[in-house]
Amino acid sequence: MDLREDSVRLESLQATSRNMSSSSAFFSANQSPFFSPRSSTCQLSESTRSDAQCNSINFSADPPSSSSGIQVPECLADVGFSGFQKFDHVPSTTLVASGIRSSYDHMGDNGYNVPIAKHRKHMRNHDMSFSPVPISLSSNRRRSYDVYIGLHGRKPSLIRFTNWLRAELEVQGMTCFVSDRARFRNSRKHELRERAMDVSSFGVVILTRKSLRNPYTIEELRFFSSKKNLVPIYFDLRPGDCLVRDIVEKRGELWEKHGGDLWVLYGGLEKEWKEAVNGLVRVDEWKLEAQDGNWRDCILQAVTVLAMKLGRRSVLERLTKWRDMVDKEEFPFPQNENFIGRKKELSELEFILFGDITGESERDYFELKARSKRKNLTVGWSNSSSAEERHRASGSQKGKEPVIWKESEKEIEMQSFERQHYQRPKGGQSSRRKRSKKTVYGKGVACVTGDSGIGKTELLLEFAYRFHQRYKMVLWIGGESQYIRQNYLNLRSFLEVDVGVGNSIDKSRINSFEEQEEAAISRVRKELMRNIPFLVVIDNLESEKDWWDQKLVMDLLPRFGGETHILISTRLPCVMNLEPLKLSYLSGVEAMSLMQGSIKDYPIADIDALRIIEEKVGRLTLALAIVGSMLSELPINPSRLLDTINRMPSRDILWSGREVHLLRKNTFLLQLFEVCFSIFDHADGPGSLATRMVLVSGWFAPAAIPISLLSLAAHKVPKKHNGTQFWRKLLHSLTCGFSSSYSKRSEVEASSMLLRFNLARSSTKEGYFHFNELIKVYARKRGVTGAANAMVQAVASRGSLSLHSEHVWAACFLLFGFGNNPKVVELRVSELLCLVKQVILPLAIWTFVTFSRCGAALELLRVCTDALEAADQAFLTPVEKWLDKSLCWKPIQTNAQLNPYLWEELALSRATVLETRAKLMLRGGQFDIGDDLIRKAIFIRTSICGEDHPDTIAARETLSKLTRLLANVETHTSS
């Protein structure tokens, strides 16, 4: 929908005969004259939302469909749109666009397209009471709004803020009208917008530095002040800045540039202008400030105030509940108070995502208007280049769209361009162009790449904490290939959408499993594509394709260029053909500061030792942090620590796979890990709880691990009394006084030790913590006997689907093996049956029904069936005992004969799994497969329980339903 549609739809108010309630928060798409019938994205939403109110941007330059009965007048046919999308928004269907350009090309320096004299005449004809325009519009036909939002300007940050405010209000059921009235020359359009002001319950006026010289903003201030329903929002101002005396006398840094006789620009009388500005001082109840670091708080406060005044109690309850959830679950880790360096990387990420720099980094960049000579060219300017040379090089070609260039001290980067990489010619051959990688600025997607332990997660976390106020919420997703889809669908609770199989895309027929999964993903994507900004952080993306079905991960993400931003960290060299931000090592000063910690007065010999350690650990940020914590916790200097690490014997480990490449070539880092384990063992005896917690952590999922579950698994790992007398004496000399304060550690004390030595990281969830992937890989490759079994047993005995679903899946991967992955854990039959009943079946049903992950649930049940069948075959295999050999006349028995009750339980468990699979096949229309599965289950139950058993009867009823549906399908196919 574009500006022409908005104007025409407002004009259609006079002729419409629809009776719409002014207090209704939502309205039907078919009843509303403001709903675009051509908008394919406007559909009814779940729960209390309305897509007609808060759908994503859908600006179309085409006129409305003829079926709507609305024609575009000839006087509007010359309204042009080019380049950036324009906005002046009216009713609750579309939101403010992301930029405005062409409509301002004909304006004067002050940005107004209405001459002052003409505006004065217009004001005299329409007094400030804004009486209804002389066009008959009966009250029962008038469209009323809860909130009128007035603004002035085309700054991207202002438009982004207004988009968000309007979308948030409409999500909460408040109808809005948004307009920048200075953009219009047609008096008819002004009358329509004045009418919208008159029928709005409250007026929100967003004030910027240029607002007080805008005649229409002054009119809005006077009008809503007279009605005592003005809600001012100070965008780049403060309430103390809006003093008439300071403005007129050009007092202060702000008004030296923007102040003076602004009532002349207003086009009215000085008295009227001063009354409007002084009216802001009298609005004591609502003084909302939208500074760079509090957008979220300001918008939520505005929504709360307006909901309270409109009597929407349910809105207040929802906002309170949402705030509590965000405070607990927004970030996976607490902010690192000792974060060092990365200023350049943080500024670059801000530039890539927003296309602009604000705050402290703003002085390093300034905007240039330029024209590109070639579309796919990277241009670098030296500091000596003159302005004339830059102008000749960038603006000589005609017919090109203007683009925004950002200049720093070293180079100019152009928004939305492709950077081409060239290969040098070899042996006289012409140069060949390599695969191009797109570096897109201001499109809301950024990728950070680097080795494990280099600090990618730390960088993303610091960025999220610094800029979280620019987003409604930070949504953190683990990018590991086996878990990314589940992690993505877990966003349902934050976005308040239902992704269960009950919300099928077409309830008139049975949808396939693939359609149901795509519908669930689409519902999450749809929420992320509204004009409410979210920051989606995908940490440690392992592959561009999903592990389960090899579909592109990009299919999960919302479109680029919207309000939601995507931030990715990965070890991959390239993701989605985007040129990533290659994360380098910390500088020497920063690395030294991280290792030294609070101790700054080391002698030269120790400083040299620290530099050697830095080089030997590969300058990894993780290793530097561990070294710094060891120097802080132990009475040891860097020289002695270096000697201890060098003398620590390295373990013989069989390295294989891409993930262990970094560990294979860095033996010094492995020795550093072993020194930490030896310290723990010395403090708490051989095989300390802290050491075993680290070693068993490698088999858990990448998500946060509950300390109680990790401790339970660690207690199941047998202790080993390794180490020589020499090492015990050496560590005793290093940790004198240390063991006395750390002896006989409990679960909490062991966890505290891991956190203090930076081997684990605290989580925002109480009682949880994380381990770095490097440490987990080393824990798995170290090959501690029984660690994987201990993890599976701990999850089986104390795991919870709602709290630990990732770790329950990790246990299933170890137990069954999926795809080409081998089985790691072997359980006894009794343990397997208990796991199937308490874990496998509930997990499969929960995954299928709650998240519509049909393929994963069915695959889990399939491999479970294979495991049960293999155990059944083992029961039927004849076994010999040494006692039976002396009794030649005694027949050889099987395990089924020796353990008949266990064998029956195994068979019935297999029947239950088969029946569950058959019932799920009903939900996906695969009746033939379901028919075969349920017949096997009936045969087992009939053989063991009999035909009259309730379970057998229930299975036969399922078979009858499948047979009937299968016959209907065959009949329909044949006809």
Side-chain angles (χ1 to χ4, degrees):
M1 179 184 293
D2 61 12
L3 183 59
R4 289 175 291 181
E5 288 189 42
D6 296 344
S7 301
V8 173
R9 293 179 191 283
L10 276 175
E11 291 174 350
S12 66
L13 279 171
Q14 350 172 9
T16 181
S17 60
R18 300 181 180 91
N19 182 11
M20 303 190 64
S21 172
S22 62
S23 61
S24 176
F26 301 94
F27 53 90
S28 170
N30 294 325
Q31 294 175 345
S32 173
F34 305 109
F35 187 90
S36 171
R38 297 174 63 92
S39 176
S40 61
T41 58
C42 296
Q43 300 174 357
L44 295 179
S45 179
E46 306 84 36
S47 67
T48 61
R49 299 170 184 259
S50 173
D51 287 352
Q53 293 176 332
C54 44
N55 208 343
S56 57
I57 302 173
N58 183 20
F59 287 88
S60 172
D62 299 329
S65 173
S66 58
S67 62
S68 64
I70 301 174
Q71 300 295 330
V72 179
E74 295 180 0
C75 61
L76 299 181
D78 59 344
V79 178
F81 301 87
S82 62
F84 295 87
Q85 292 170 321
K86 297 164 56 175
F87 90 90
D88 166 88
H89 226 75
V90 298
S92 358
T93 51
T94 55
L95 302 179
V96 181
S98 59
I100 311 166
R101 192 196 73 233
S102 60
S103 60
Y104 289 87
D105 292 343
H106 57 277
M107 297 180 183
D109 296 336
N110 297 325
Y112 306 123
N113 48 15
V114 180
I116 294 177
K118 184 177 179 180
H119 176 69
R120 287 174 176 168
K121 182 178 179 181
H122 175 74
M123 288 184 57
R124 298 298 176 266
N125 294 334
H126 303 279
D127 58 20
M128 295 310 296
S129 64
F130 280 87
S131 59
V133 289
I135 294 177
S136 61
L137 183 65
S138 59
S139 59
N140 65 330
R141 295 179 182 178
R142 180 180 301 177
R143 168 67 172 166
S144 63
Y145 300 95
D146 294 320
V147 182
Y148 174 93
I149 302 177
L151 73 156
H152 171 62
R154 52 196 176 97
K155 190 176 181 180
S157 57
L158 173 64
I159 296 174
R160 180 178 173 87
F161 177 84
T162 308
N163 274 336
W164 182 4
L165 173 62
R166 182 181 189 276
E168 191 65 51
L169 288 170
E170 294 191 338
V171 163
Q172 303 300 337
M174 288 174 269
T175 55
C176 299
F177 186 103
V178 182
S179 180
D180 181 358
R181 297 164 62 219
R183 295 178 53 245
F184 298 96
R185 292 175 294 181
N186 190 293
S187 61
R188 176 62 181 170
K189 296 178 183 178
H190 284 288
E191 292 171 355
L192 294 173
R193 280 147 185 82
E194 289 168 7
R195 184 184 299 120
M197 292 170 58
D198 189 44
V199 298
S200 297
S201 300
F202 288 91
V204 175
V205 180
I206 303 177
L207 299 172
T208 63
R209 297 173 183 177
K210 296 183 179 181
S211 294
L212 300 184
R213 63 176 64 194
N214 176 22
Y216 299 102
T217 300
I218 300 299
E219 287 184 13
E220 291 165 357
L221 291 175
R222 295 192 63 210
F223 173 71
F224 290 115
S225 293
S226 65
K227 294 179 64 176
K228 300 187 184 301
N229 61 355
L230 172 65
V231 182
I233 296 180
Y234 300 87
F235 186 72
D236 55 3
L237 296 171
R238 296 186 182 274
D241 295 330
C242 297
L243 300 177
V244 172
R245 177 183 171 186
D246 292 345
I247 297 172
V248 173
E249 297 179 0
K250 296 188 176 183
R251 299 279 183 169
E253 181 180 353
L254 173 63
W255 299 118
E256 285 180 0
K257 178 180 180 181
H258 301 284
D261 301 334
L262 299 188
W263 62 83
V264 177
L265 299 174
Y266 162 56
L269 300 177
E270 178 182 356
K271 180 181 177 181
E272 295 174 350
W273 180 86
K274 289 184 177 181
E275 286 178 356
V277 179
N278 285 327
L280 294 172
V281 181
R282 292 190 290 271
V283 184
D284 295 329
E285 186 178 2
W286 302 321
K287 290 187 177 180
L288 306 176
E289 298 184 45
Q291 304 301 327
D292 184 56
N294 73 333
W295 281 17
R296 181 197 296 182
D297 293 341
C298 178
I299 287 177
L300 292 180
Q301 186 181 359
V303 174
T304 301
V305 167
L306 292 168
M308 181 176 59
K309 292 299 179 181
L310 290 168
R312 311 289 174 83
R313 280 192 168 185
S314 59
V315 174
L316 300 179
E317 294 173 358
R318 285 199 301 270
L319 289 178
T320 301
K321 182 179 178 181
W322 183 83
R323 283 193 183 99
D324 294 339
M325 177 185 64
V326 170
D327 292 341
K328 296 177 181 178
E329 303 182 34
E330 180 174 20
F331 294 98
F333 315 104
Q335 188 172 13
N336 185 1
E337 298 179 356
N338 300 318
F339 184 80
I340 295 176
R342 306 299 190 193
K343 292 183 179 180
K344 178 182 177 183
E345 289 83 354
L346 288 169
S347 296
E348 187 165 354
L349 285 179
E350 181 186 3
F351 186 30
I352 293 174
L353 290 180
F354 294 98
D356 195 8
I357 297 292
T358 60
E360 296 180 357
S361 303
E362 189 174 7
R363 61 177 178 268
D364 297 330
Y365 292 83
F366 62 90
E367 294 187 2
L368 289 178
K369 290 288 184 179
R371 296 179 183 270
S372 58
K373 293 184 66 175
R374 284 190 289 176
K375 182 178 179 180
N376 299 327
L377 183 65
T378 302
V379 183
W381 299 109
S382 64
N383 293 332
S384 61
S385 298
S386 65
E388 295 180 357
E389 292 173 343
R390 298 177 186 179
H391 177 73
R392 286 196 302 268
S394 60
S396 58
Q397 189 173 359
K398 296 182 179 180
K400 296 291 184 180
E401 294 293 338
V403 295
I404 301 296
W405 297 66
K406 296 289 181 178
E407 181 173 328
S408 65
E409 295 179 355
K410 296 183 178 180
E411 63 179 356
I412 295 179
E413 297 286 1
M414 182 175 63
Q415 290 186 10
S416 303
F417 72 91
E418 293 184 1
R419 176 176 297 173
Q420 304 290 347
H421 295 265
Y422 293 86
Q423 185 177 7
R424 292 184 178 180
K426 296 181 179 179
Q429 297 179 355
S430 60
S431 62
R432 296 181 300 163
R433 186 170 62 184
K434 292 184 178 180
R435 180 187 181 188
S436 64
K437 300 178 182 180
K438 298 179 181 178
T439 304
V440 184
Y441 294 95
K443 292 301 182 182
V445 56
C447 180
V448 178
T449 184
D451 295 332
S452 295
I454 198 65
K456 300 185 297 296
T457 300
E458 289 288 345
L459 177 65
L460 268 58
L461 184 70
E462 184 66 19
F463 180 89
Y465 269 104
R466 291 192 183 189
F467 297 97
H468 73 279
Q469 281 286 333
R470 298 193 191 181
Y471 304 95
K472 181 175 181 179
M473 189 175 183
V474 177
L475 305 173
W476 200 280
I477 298 175
E480 292 77 13
S481 57
Q482 290 178 320
Y483 302 93
I484 185 171
R485 180 168 295 191
Q486 181 65 53
N487 294 337
Y488 183 80
L489 292 174
N490 283 340
L491 299 180
R492 69 186 180 95
S493 58
F494 303 115
L495 302 175
E496 299 178 351
V497 295
D498 187 0
V499 297
V501 293
N503 295 302
S504 58
I505 55 178
D506 186 358
K507 295 189 177 182
S508 63
R509 65 181 182 87
I510 297 178
N511 299 295
S512 66
F513 294 133
E514 185 176 359
E515 288 175 330
Q516 295 180 46
E517 292 194 26
E518 290 178 353
I521 292 172
S522 176
R523 282 190 284 273
V524 177
R525 290 182 71 248
K526 187 177 182 180
E527 290 302 314
L528 295 176
M529 290 169 62
R530 299 181 186 272
N531 265 37
I532 297 179
F534 291 93
L535 176 61
V536 179
V537 179
I538 303 178
D539 190 23
N540 191 26
L541 181 65
E542 288 185 343
S543 173
E544 293 189 48
K545 294 184 178 180
D546 183 76
W547 183 83
W548 291 94
D549 54 14
Q550 298 301 305
K551 290 186 177 180
L552 291 176
V553 172
M554 190 169 62
D555 295 339
L556 303 176
L557 306 178
R559 68 175 187 273
F560 299 156
E563 300 298 334
T564 292
H565 290 173
I566 312 295
L567 192 55
I568 302 172
S569 72
T570 182
R571 296 190 300 271
L572 300 174
C574 180
V575 174
M576 294 180 288
N577 204 26
L578 295 172
E579 183 174 351
L581 172 62
K582 176 68 174 178
L583 196 61
S584 183
Y585 307 109
L586 294 174
S587 66
V589 176
E590 294 166 347
M592 195 64 63
S593 177
L594 185 59
M595 288 188 292
Q596 286 179 315
S598 58
I599 305 175
K600 304 296 183 182
D601 55 351
Y602 282 124
I604 298 300
D606 287 337
I607 296 296
D608 292 339
L610 288 176
R611 289 173 179 166
I612 295 174
I613 292 176
E614 178 194 356
E615 292 295 331
K616 286 198 169 187
V617 297
R619 299 181 180 178
L620 294 179
T621 307
L622 171 66
L624 300 179
I626 294 175
V627 171
S629 62
M630 294 177 70
L631 293 176
S632 300
E633 293 290 326
L634 302 176
I636 185 175
N637 58 35
S639 299
R640 198 168 186 186
L641 177 61
L642 175 60
D643 181 65
T644 303
I645 299 174
N646 284 326
R647 297 171 67 184
M648 174 63 68
S650 59
R651 292 178 173 268
D652 295 331
I653 298 177
L654 180 61
W655 300 106
S656 62
R658 185 187 61 180
E659 63 180 1
V660 298
H661 173 70
L662 184 61
L663 292 176
R664 186 192 301 114
K665 66 179 183 179
N666 197 337
T667 57
F668 189 85
L669 178 62
L670 307 184
Q671 290 173 303
L672 176 63
F673 291 158
E674 290 296 335
V675 169
C676 292
F677 297 153
S678 299
I679 292 173
F680 300 157
D681 294 345
H682 179 75
D684 196 19
S688 66
L689 179 59
T691 300
R692 285 179 289 155
M693 289 172 74
V694 175
L695 296 178
V696 80
S697 69
W699 302 103
F700 280 83
I705 305 175
I707 296 176
S708 58
L709 200 63
L710 182 64
S711 176
L712 177 62
H715 280 296
K716 295 180 180 294
V717 176
K719 290 186 177 182
K720 282 191 176 183
H721 299 275
N722 294 331
T724 62
Q725 191 69 19
F726 166 76
W727 278 108
R728 292 181 184 180
K729 290 182 179 180
L730 174 62
L731 290 171
H732 178 72
S733 63
L734 292 176
T735 60
C736 57
F738 178 77
S739 58
S740 61
S741 61
Y742 283 89
S743 59
K744 303 303 178 183
R745 296 300 161 198
S746 66
E747 173 185 307
V748 176
E749 292 169 332
S751 302
S752 176
M753 189 185 302
L754 293 177
L755 294 174
R756 295 178 67 178
F757 277 83
N758 280 320
L759 288 183
R761 170 150 196 182
S762 60
S763 172
T764 51
K765 292 182 179 180
E766 186 176 357
Y768 288 73
F769 53 35
H770 296 253
F771 288 90
N772 186 275
E773 185 62 23
L774 269 180
I775 296 175
K776 297 183 72 172
V777 169
Y778 180 64
R780 291 196 299 269
K781 294 300 180 179
R782 202 168 182 257
V784 178
T785 304
N789 291 66
M791 181 269 178
V792 174
Q793 293 174 5
V795 170
S797 60
R798 202 177 293 179
S800 168
L801 285 182
S802 59
L803 300 177
H804 318 129
S805 61
E806 300 94 339
H807 304 300
V808 176
W809 271 109
C812 294
F813 291 141
L814 296 176
L815 180 61
F816 298 126
F818 285 72
N820 297 325
N821 296 337
K823 296 181 181 180
V824 180
V825 174
E826 292 289 343
L827 297 179
R828 297 192 298 270
V829 175
S830 58
E831 295 174 337
L832 177 61
L833 294 179
C834 181
L835 193 69
V836 169
K837 181 179 179 180
Q838 298 181 2
V839 177
I840 306 301
L841 284 173
L843 176 63
I845 296 173
W846 183 69
T847 302
F848 188 99
V849 174
T850 307
F851 297 97
S852 298
R853 292 191 62 206
C854 309
L858 292 173
E859 180 65 11
L860 174 60
L861 293 177
R862 187 192 67 80
V863 296
C864 179
T865 303
D866 294 343
L868 292 174
E869 290 178 352
D872 184 75
Q873 290 297 323
F875 259 74
L876 297 177
T877 302
V879 296
E880 295 184 3
K881 295 185 178 180
W882 65 271
L883 183 61
D884 296 337
K885 293 181 180 179
S886 61
L887 303 175
C888 300
W889 62 88
K890 188 173 183 179
I892 298 177
Q893 294 180 317
T894 63
N895 277 324
Q897 294 172 317
L898 296 174
N899 301 285
Y901 295 106
L902 185 60
W903 178 78
E904 288 183 1
E905 186 179 356
L906 173 63
L908 291 175
S909 179
R910 186 158 62 96
T912 301
V913 174
L914 290 171
E915 183 180 12
T916 303
R917 292 175 62 190
K919 289 180 178 180
L920 295 184
M921 292 298 173
L922 275 170
R923 306 296 294 267
Q926 298 189 10
F927 307 130
D928 51 347
I929 300 177
D931 182 86
D932 181 62
L933 293 172
I934 196 63
R935 290 181 185 276
K936 293 180 181 178
I938 292 174
F939 175 77
I940 295 174
R941 286 192 171 159
T942 303
S943 303
I944 297 178
C945 303
E947 295 185 357
D948 298 330
H949 193 274
D951 292 342
T952 307
I953 296 174
R956 289 190 180 278
E957 292 176 355
T958 303
L959 175 61
S960 300
K961 186 174 182 179
L962 281 165
T963 304
R964 184 173 61 255
L965 291 173
L966 186 59
N968 292 338
V969 171
E970 291 176 351
T971 302
H972 179 74
T973 304
S974 60
S975 61

